[in-house]
Amino acid sequence: MRGLFDPNRPDPKSVRRIKMLIAERFGFPESTTLAVAELRCHEPGCLPVETVITAREADGSMRDWRVAKPLSEVERADIEILGRQP
């Protein structure tokens, strides 16, 4: 059983896979810093788990996306629709 203060570390392979998919999808150069995090929410009306992906480009600009599922369940199809949503 996990305790309240135990680290909840995502699978490194899943993180690398998502970063690779994002870099391919948007054509980011290697100078772009990509961050992937899984957030949990216990507030009413909030998704219980979502994956947040952030890209910080060399010029300081940032973009972020949210996928309404755990990091380990994010698939290529989820990444492909990012940026096409209204």
Side-chain angles (χ1 to χ4, degrees), residues 14-15 17-22 24-26 36 51 53 66-82 85:
S14 294
V15 171
R17 180 179 52 80
I18 292 170
K19 286 181 177 183
M20 180 196 68
L21 291 171
I22 284 287
E24 286 176 6
R25 164 73 176 86
F26 293 98
V36 178
T51 297
I53 306 158
R66 295 175 181 269
V67 179
K69 57 174 65 172
L71 192 144
S72 63
E73 296 177 16
V74 174
E75 300 173 357
R76 180 178 293 273
D78 299 312
I79 301 301
E80 288 297 323
I81 64 169
L82 295 177
Q85 301 162 332

Side-chain angles (χ1 to χ4, degrees), residues 42-59:
H42 304 287
E43 299 293 322
C46 162
L47 291 172
V49 179
E50 67 180 349
T51 297
V52 178
I53 306 158
T54 303
R56 180 183 295 267
E57 299 193 54
D59 65 1

